[in-house]
Amino acid sequence: VLSVICIGTGLYSCHDIFETDISKKRVNVLAPGDSVVLTNTAVTFWWDPVDYATQYTVQVVQPNFNSIQTLVLDSTVTTNKLLASLGPGKYQWRIRAGNGSSYTDFQTYSFSIDSNLNIINQTVVLTSPQSNAILGTHTVQFTWARVYPATSYHFVLSTSTAVLVLDTSVVSTTLLYGPIADGTYTWQVAAMNVSGNTQASSATFIIDSIAPPTPTGFTASNYAFPSDSFILGWTRGTPPSGYTYYDTLVIFSDSFQNNAVRNVIVTSASPVTYRDSLRSGTYYSKVATKNNTGNTSAFTSLIRMVLP
């Protein structure tokens, strides 16, 4: 069975998307199994992918869905795994698959986490920055999930060449540190108490504050147009591996750039062709490139456009 969805765009057009009805399918859960007792507070929720599903909803409550005392987790993910750090106690969790137009039924399972936890067997779940993240800021907020038997955490930050940047002990699950120079770094956290410590969990990230190149060839034919419709064109630089480039286009009704009549994000492929229309008048436009770390290039020089 196919569902047809009409999606409006900024240009008020629409197109058909055909999606398979998955409402009769079932999610095959791999872990945690029903009624299992866990000895690690880092819980991996894991299931087989469902054909034609684009997302999965995972909900966790205490003690059960018939008498909910605490909503622990309510998350929608696109992969078939979800890692969460929980405390000792009894839980129920449920999962369903969806694709925007149909959903499977929820399937519900029970599990518990042993209250007599040995910290040596626990795992620290690193939250942010995640592994392979690219950051555009020199001050970084490090966060990780609580390990319930822990009384403190050993935090280590080092460069890709193993040069130690920071080695400290903290009692909270967050640490703000900076400034950190551009480069590749590894951060590690181990949980500790009087009985011992966990193995360190680690993740690698990149700090890059270098702005993308300014777009080139920003033109509008003859700077005058035969109607209120117009086309702007430019060439965006090619992003390095792991980066994404997009553009910010601004059009003003005055050369002092006080009144913006357009401020749009352009993600189409380079070389870019931007089509639009405005009322008759004189306009001034400029464009800059951004990357996925938030760094922005310089804007191009203003282009003067006359619409009859």
Side-chain angles (χ1 to χ4, degrees):
V1 178
L2 297 179
S3 300
V4 180
I5 302 175
C6 190
I7 300 177
T9 69
L11 299 177
Y12 303 102
S13 64
C14 63
H15 61 280
D16 292 337
I17 295 178
F18 296 93
E19 292 183 323
T20 299
D21 185 350
I22 64 171
S23 60
K24 303 301 182 182
K25 293 181 177 291
R26 178 180 173 85
V27 181
N28 181 39
V29 167
L30 301 175
D34 196 30
S35 302
V36 69
V37 179
L38 305 177
T39 58
N40 194 320
T41 58
V43 181
T44 298
F45 299 94
W46 183 27
W47 56 93
D48 283 332
V50 174
D51 289 341
Y52 307 109
T54 58
Q55 63 185 35
Y56 304 89
T57 300
V58 177
Q59 297 175 337
V60 183
V61 300
Q62 280 188 297
N64 56 64
F65 286 100
N66 292 327
S67 56
I68 298 174
Q69 295 181 358
T70 306
L71 175 61
V72 178
L73 178 68
D74 186 356
S75 183
T76 299
V77 297
T78 57
T79 62
N80 68 324
K81 282 185 180 180
L82 178 63
L83 180 62
S85 185
L86 308 176
K90 295 182 178 180
Y91 297 86
Q92 272 194 335
W93 74 289
R94 64 185 185 183
I95 182 173
R96 73 175 183 183
N99 62 11
S101 62
S102 61
Y103 297 88
T104 67
D105 289 336
F106 272 111
Q107 292 158 230
T108 303
Y109 303 88
S110 299
F111 69 95
S112 61
I113 298 178
D114 191 349
S115 59
N116 299 313
L117 295 174
N118 186 333
I119 194 170
I120 296 175
N121 299 325
Q122 306 310 305
T123 303
V124 182
V125 178
L126 304 183
T127 306
S128 178
Q130 295 184 348
S131 196
N132 301 317
I134 303 175
L135 310 178
T137 177
H138 292 289
T139 299
V140 179
Q141 182 82 49
F142 299 93
T143 60
W144 56 93
R146 176 186 174 189
V147 175
Y148 283 80
T151 55
S152 64
Y153 301 89
H154 183 203
F155 178 95
V156 176
L157 176 66
S158 58
T159 69
S160 59
T161 56
V163 175
L164 184 64
V165 177
L166 180 65
D167 186 336
T168 188
S169 178
V170 295
V171 296
S172 67
T173 57
T174 183
L175 176 66
L176 182 66
Y177 182 75
I180 305 173
D182 283 9
T184 301
Y185 296 87
T186 297
W187 67 291
Q188 299 177 307
V189 179
M192 302 183 295
N193 66 15
V194 294
S195 300
N197 58 269
T198 68
Q199 290 188 344
S201 297
S202 65
T204 299
F205 66 95
I206 296 172
I207 291 183
D208 181 6
S209 61
I210 299 175
T214 301
T216 58
F218 185 44
T219 57
S221 300
N222 301 321
Y223 307 100
F225 303 85
S227 69
D228 61 356
S229 297
F230 60 92
I231 298 175
L232 297 174
W234 64 91
T235 299
R236 180 191 307 130
T238 302
S241 177
Y243 290 76
T244 302
Y245 282 178
Y246 58 94
D247 301 309
T248 297
L249 172 69
V250 189
I251 302 176
F252 302 92
S253 61
D254 64 299
S255 61
F256 297 104
Q257 305 178 47
N258 292 323
N259 183 28
V261 296
R262 292 285 189 274
N263 193 333
V264 296
I265 299 299
V266 181
T267 59
S268 53
S270 181
V272 178
T273 300
Y274 175 82
R275 294 176 173 85
D276 204 340
S277 61
L278 291 167
R279 294 179 179 179
S280 297
T282 301
Y283 298 91
Y284 303 84
S285 60
K286 64 181 181 179
V287 65
T289 296
K290 285 190 173 184
N291 64 19
N292 52 312
T293 70
N295 299 317
T296 306
S297 75
F299 275 95
T300 60
S301 299
L302 282 178
I303 287 181
R304 180 175 177 266
M305 308 187 305
V306 179
L307 304 183

